[in-house]
Amino acid sequence: SAVISQKPSRDICQRGTSLTIQCQVDSQVTMMFWYRQQPGQSLTLIATANQGSEATYESGFVIDKFPISRPNLTFSTLTVSNMSPEDSSIYLCSAHGTGTMGEAFFGQGTRLTVV
Amino acid sequence: AQRVTQPEKLLSVFKGAPVELKCNYSYSGSPELFWYVQYSRQRLQLLLRHISRESIKGFTADLNKGETSFHLKKPFAQEEDSAMYYCALGNTGGFKTIFGAGTRLFVKA
């Protein structure tokens, strides 16, 4: 299994500012994932964070808006840049543990409110 | 295209009644399907996976490749089953997990 710690758990930010969300895994994982979960809706994959290479972004998400770092096999950050109220959402970090038959593990989420 | 469809956003049943949460998928390869659950104020967590053919908390799900379905069932719902349930297609290209829209199950006393 993998235990994922994510912080901050919540924040209220002014529009136009940026917020960096941190994700720490208690074991080494090859890939980490960042999702957005808007109220009452499903999880939308933002990007896959690969150690040692650029993150791979899904359609509709761009690096300038959501820069991602992956400095090692246990840590990643997601920055939400130049925020607007439309960015208000829950952001989730996820990873697959080794030998877990494809199971995904999740952080507790970061609830972001942009005012 | 890879897709997971959960047609019901909300399902409300009485305690002790059977419950079935529907899930259909679209995937050209050999699917790996999961059900995840999110209880109030808790993180998203795995409930069960099709390859294990297990029963967790009384829930079962059978993969039907002919109907491309992976419905979640429980014969007698309990109040503590109230939660958000997500069907997911795992280990697709790049090891991504694709989630359905989710079904909120509400079990009434």
Side-chain angles (χ1 to χ4, degrees):
Chain A
S1 67
V3 177
I4 299 179
S5 302
Q6 192 175 331
K7 60 181 181 181
S9 58
R10 60 177 61 227
D11 208 341
I12 300 173
C13 301
Q14 296 289 327
R15 67 176 68 200
T17 62
S18 298
L19 175 72
T20 295
I21 303 167
Q22 298 180 7
C23 180
Q24 179 76 53
V25 188
D26 70 342
S27 57
Q28 293 185 340
V29 293
T30 304
M31 292 182 178
M32 296 175 70
F33 305 88
W34 287 97
Y35 289 87
R36 184 169 69 185
Q37 184 179 27
Q38 294 183 305
Q41 298 189 29
S42 185
L43 286 75
T44 302
L45 182 64
I46 297 171
T48 303
N50 309 302
Q51 195 271 331
S53 64
E54 291 275 336
T56 304
Y57 289 83
E58 297 299 305
S59 176
F61 298 96
V62 295
I63 187 171
D64 290 345
K65 176 66 176 178
F66 297 100
I68 287 171
S69 78
R70 182 80 199 273
N72 57 51
L73 290 173
T74 63
F75 187 78
S76 178
T77 67
L78 169 77
T79 299
V80 187
S81 302
N82 189 25
M83 288 183 285
S84 66
E86 292 72 37
D87 294 322
S88 297
S89 188
I90 296 172
Y91 292 85
L92 288 168
C93 174
S94 173
H96 291 281
T98 54
T100 58
M101 297 185 287
E103 176 184 353
F105 296 88
F106 292 88
Q108 71 271 39
T110 296
R111 183 179 293 273
L112 171 62
T113 302
V114 184
V115 297
Chain B
Q2 301 158 0
R3 188 183 304 123
V4 177
T5 303
Q6 293 180 252
E8 304 136 330
K9 294 195 78 169
L10 173 66
L11 188 61
S12 183
V13 301
F14 283 101
K15 176 182 173 182
V19 62
E20 180 179 50
L21 286 75
K22 297 191 187 309
C23 172
N24 289 89
Y25 67 91
S26 174
Y27 183 55
S28 57
S30 184
E32 292 187 28
L33 286 151
F34 303 81
W35 277 98
Y36 288 86
V37 60
Q38 189 168 27
Y39 300 103
S40 178
R41 298 190 182 87
Q42 294 187 29
R43 68 182 67 194
L44 195 59
Q45 60 187 286
L46 179 70
L47 179 62
L48 55 80
R49 69 195 95 200
H50 90 271
I51 57 173
S52 299
R53 301 185 65 82
E54 57 203 343
S55 173
I56 303 293
K57 299 183 178 181
F59 284 98
T60 59
D62 291 320
L63 177 61
N64 185 322
K65 291 186 178 181
E67 296 183 356
T68 61
S69 68
F70 188 56
H71 303 327
L72 183 67
K73 301 177 184 179
K74 184 170 183 176
F76 308 103
Q78 302 299 313
E79 289 180 74
E80 55 265 29
D81 296 328
S82 295
M84 194 73 177
Y85 292 81
Y86 294 96
C87 183
L89 182 62
N91 269 353
T92 58
F95 301 97
K96 294 184 292 188
T97 300
I98 297 170
F99 288 87
T103 298
R104 181 167 295 283
L105 175 64
F106 181 55
V107 181
K108 297 175 285 190

